[in-house]
Amino acid sequence: MKTNKDEQVRQNIIEAAKVVFQKWGLYKSTMEDIAKETGKAKSTLYYYFKNKEEIFEQVVRQELDEIIFNSLNSIRDLTSAREKLKKFITAMLNEVKNTISIYSLVKG
């Protein structure tokens, strides 16, 4: 059973990993780099995640959730289906473009 503390630690690891992945990319980043960024032992990372790829997957999931949330939020006040679709697609593309620009690993 996961506690709030466990979820907080997981989230701290994910946030630290975002910083590391943005700086070094997926392939150059190591669990050691992420551990240093969190200020925790590498063993703590392995307690919560199998490997850096699993951490990266969670980073991507959160980024996608944020992109979708922001895109949906941009159409909240529109009433026309056509306007909503047009605005949603534009917002999604802009959100994806902005997210990709901070991740050199995706650009490469």
Side-chain angles (χ1 to χ4, degrees):
M1 184 164 104
K2 291 184 181 175
T3 65
N4 284 340
K5 184 179 182 223
D6 285 336
E7 284 305 315
Q8 186 176 13
V9 171
R10 282 179 60 85
Q11 189 57 41
N12 289 343
I13 292 168
I14 292 167
E15 291 300 320
K18 282 182 187 181
V19 172
V20 172
F21 292 142
Q22 286 171 3
K23 185 175 182 180
W24 299 108
L26 174 62
Y27 299 108
K28 290 184 181 177
S29 298
T30 65
M31 290 294 269
E32 183 71 33
D33 296 330
I34 298 168
K36 283 180 187 173
E37 186 68 31
T38 62
K40 300 197 178 302
K42 217 167 42 166
S43 60
T44 302
L45 272 62
Y46 284 110
Y47 178 80
Y48 292 97
F49 298 96
K50 286 188 285 189
N51 50 41
K52 74 174 179 178
E53 287 77 10
E54 186 177 1
I55 297 172
F56 182 72
E57 183 179 310
Q58 290 303 309
V59 168
V60 170
R61 283 180 193 266
Q62 285 188 5
E63 293 289 349
L64 286 173
D65 287 347
E66 188 172 332
I67 288 169
I68 292 168
F69 175 81
N70 290 339
S71 299
L72 288 172
N73 201 30
S74 74
I75 64 169
R76 184 180 54 201
D77 297 331
L78 300 176
T79 55
S80 159
R82 179 182 213 132
E83 293 265 332
K84 283 185 176 188
L85 181 59
K86 186 176 175 181
K87 179 75 173 184
F88 181 77
I89 290 170
T90 302
M92 282 283 285
L93 291 173
N94 286 333
E95 289 287 329
V96 168
K97 187 173 92 176
N98 291 339
T99 301
I100 286 174
S101 71
I102 62 172
Y103 285 99
S104 59
L105 68 128
V106 178
K107 284 192 269 185

